[in-house]
Amino acid sequence: MVAYRIDRHSGVATYVQIVQQTKQALRLGLLRPGDRLPTAREVVEATAINPNTVLKAYRELEREGLVEARRGLGTFVRRSLGATPADDSPLRAGLGAWAAEAREAGLDREDVAALFAAVLDEAFPAPDGPSGHPDHPDHPSNPSSPSDPSDPSNPSNPSSKPALQGGDPS
């Protein structure tokens, strides 16, 4: 059974953390089709969160077809995700060694996450650029994305002037 860990300082909604952790458990094979997720009451007792938050996360997982609620029985895994190597695989062992090396080099968890994300983006580019997320600096719809320096509307072009559109200019 999965044990949820809620980080109240992460800036990530609690129900999203539950969804993400459930998906990670599915990818790692910790949860398999037929397994029962903890009841909302069990999650509330372990994490001190609102039961509606747990139910919202479980509804999202159900909407994605990953779990199904069985009245009076609980919520059960319908399907797994991915083909993540088992705990004893050489890939996992190599990644574990790399993480230990990163820690020895003085990197903290956030540094390692950023480095890994950068390498991951290079190795597995999204179809529309380094990140499929619109808030990513290199996403085409992000206004802070780099653009053609010769474009007069580009703020990095020294000849461009800001355009004011009514209201207070300050």
Side-chain angles (χ1 to χ4, degrees):
M1 187 176 299
V2 67
Y4 297 109
R5 296 165 318 282
I6 304 303
D7 181 355
R8 288 164 173 37
H9 304 290
S10 71
V12 177
T14 303
Y15 88 94
V16 173
Q17 291 182 52
I18 293 172
V19 169
Q20 290 171 338
Q21 290 175 35
T22 303
K23 287 180 176 181
Q24 182 176 14
L26 290 168
R27 286 194 185 285
L28 294 174
L30 302 173
L31 285 173
R32 293 194 167 97
D35 287 349
R36 184 178 67 83
L37 294 182
T39 65
R41 176 177 283 160
E42 291 168 337
V43 176
V44 167
E45 288 172 0
T47 61
I49 61 174
N50 187 307
N52 289 326
T53 301
V54 180
L55 297 173
K56 182 176 182 177
Y58 284 10
R59 280 192 306 270
E60 175 67 19
L61 291 164
E62 190 169 18
R63 187 188 66 73
E64 293 182 28
L66 298 173
V67 302
E68 67 179 332
R70 298 181 191 157
R71 192 163 197 82
L73 298 174
T75 303
F76 293 83
V77 175
R78 289 185 65 193
R79 66 181 178 90
S80 189
L81 287 174
T84 303
D87 284 346
D88 61 350
S89 80
L91 283 174
R92 184 171 177 111
L95 189 55
W98 177 83
E101 188 178 333
R103 177 181 279 170
E104 289 172 14
L107 275 67
D108 66 16
R109 184 181 181 93
E110 289 79 23
D111 295 334
V112 170
L115 180 58
F116 186 79
V119 171
L120 192 63
D121 281 349
E122 290 171 10
F124 298 93
D128 60 348
S131 172
H133 197 279
D135 292 336
H136 190 281
D138 294 331
H139 191 277
S141 70
N142 186 336
S144 66
S145 292
S147 57
D148 182 2
S150 64
D151 179 356
S153 66
N154 181 358
S156 66
N157 181 348
S159 66
S160 69
K161 303 273 189 279
L164 298 177
Q165 296 182 348
D168 186 343
S170 58

